[in-house]
Amino acid sequence: MPLYKTIQHNSNTQILIWNITESFEQLNQEVQLNKKNQLRLNGMKSEMHQRAFLSVRKLLLLAGYSDFDLQYDAFGKPHLHSENRHREFTEVSITHSHHFSAIIVSNEPIGIDIEMQREIILKIAHKFVNEEELNRLQKTDLNDFIKKLTVKWGAKEAIFKIKSEKGISFKDHIKVAPFELNETQTSADLSFNGKNEKFTIHFSELDTNFTLVYAFENNSSIQPKSVC
């Protein structure tokens, strides 16, 4: 069973990461979908997307839930709902990139993102970071530049998943504080619709060229206490 890693951030928050090695047929036999999500799966043209979709349901099972506990609000944001549980998570965020998928479950507003570190991010950097950020980041070597841009993109994607509001601009509304790659945490601000909200950002590497980022909507969350 390719559970890649579990991060127990605190008693209210857990991250589970899957390394997708199974075939579509194997995954499809091991999970059950509700009717709506079965239709979504059937409509996917990419087998990789289908396998990622099913692997997320495997992660839900490991967290004590199933596809039938997953509900989406009017903005497309997922939530967990299940009865008769001793401890119930209510929030969930989902991500997948190539052969990795992950979920974060919590009782706090959270967002998660996995991104592959690729040079193509250099071509689109101007779309999600401002000129001041770019000038500062360009002073590092190319490999670190790519890794830092990937963290910034992941952080902004995770924040967007938390807020799920139309009109949020990664470049204009979300600012990620400076950080070093040997650190595991930074902060970010979202200035949108007359409000300024702060977030705690956690980041780490998976294998050698993937970045995991997850965000909380406040600065009260403690550091991860165990990883297995």
Side-chain angles (χ1 to χ4, degrees):
M1 179 172 65
L3 177 65
Y4 178 80
K5 183 182 289 187
T6 299
I7 302 172
Q8 191 69 43
H9 182 87
N10 57 32
S11 60
N12 292 322
T13 304
Q14 186 180 58
I15 299 102
L16 297 99
I17 305 167
W18 193 269
N19 183 16
I20 310 168
T21 61
E22 307 93 332
S23 66
F24 167 78
E25 289 75 17
Q26 180 180 347
L27 286 167
N28 198 34
Q29 290 175 357
E30 294 175 351
V31 299
Q32 286 186 310
L33 302 177
N34 63 45
K35 290 182 180 180
K36 185 175 181 179
N37 281 334
Q38 185 64 58
L39 289 173
R40 287 180 61 193
L41 178 71
N42 295 343
M44 293 178 182
K45 297 181 180 179
S46 165
E47 184 178 294
M48 187 67 247
H49 286 164
Q50 290 178 317
R51 291 165 65 204
F53 186 84
L54 292 169
S55 69
V56 165
R57 275 66 193 169
K58 293 283 288 185
L59 291 171
L60 285 172
L61 289 172
L62 290 175
Y65 292 85
S66 75
D67 187 62
F68 295 89
D69 300 316
L70 192 62
Q71 300 180 355
Y72 292 84
D73 63 22
F75 301 99
K77 183 178 179 179
H79 300 274
L80 290 173
H81 175 75
S82 187
E83 299 178 353
N84 299 321
R85 294 190 180 274
H86 176 66
R87 191 185 73 177
E88 180 180 287
F89 294 120
T90 58
E91 301 297 326
V92 62
S93 185
I94 296 167
T95 186
H96 59 82
S97 178
H98 298 267
H99 61 89
F100 281 118
S101 63
I103 63 171
I104 183 169
V105 290
S106 182
N107 290 326
E108 305 178 57
I110 36 78
I112 192 170
D113 193 47
I114 292 177
E115 295 291 339
M116 188 178 187
Q117 300 161 6
R118 298 182 294 174
E119 284 194 21
I120 192 172
I121 200 169
L122 300 172
K123 297 181 180 180
I124 62 170
H126 65 281
K127 295 183 178 181
F128 67 92
V129 294
N130 60 36
E131 187 174 348
E132 179 185 352
E133 288 179 290
L134 274 178
N135 289 338
R136 183 172 63 247
L137 290 171
Q138 285 172 341
K139 295 177 182 179
T140 62
D141 66 51
L142 181 61
N143 190 48
D144 284 357
F145 187 20
I146 292 171
K147 289 184 177 183
K148 286 189 172 183
L149 283 175
T150 306
V151 171
K152 283 184 176 284
W153 173 267
K156 297 185 179 193
E157 183 71 30
I159 289 170
F160 183 79
K161 288 180 178 180
I162 292 173
K163 302 309 297 181
S164 192
E165 295 181 39
K166 291 183 178 180
I168 293 177
S169 165
F170 283 16
K171 180 177 180 179
D172 299 328
H173 300 142
I174 306 175
K175 184 175 182 180
V176 179
F179 60 88
E180 297 301 327
L181 291 171
N182 61 354
E183 299 171 333
T184 59
Q185 181 176 325
T186 186
S187 60
D189 292 280
L190 169 64
S191 299
F192 183 65
N193 278 348
K195 296 188 297 183
N196 186 273
E197 299 173 88
K198 296 185 179 297
F199 299 81
T200 302
I201 308 297
H202 299 271
F203 59 91
S204 60
E205 286 199 354
L206 305 177
D207 283 350
T208 56
N209 61 337
F210 285 84
T211 297
L212 168 71
V213 186
Y214 57 101
F216 291 86
E217 197 175 357
N218 53 59
N219 293 317
S220 63
S221 301
I222 63 173
Q223 290 280 355
K225 66 178 181 181
S226 64
V227 177
C228 58

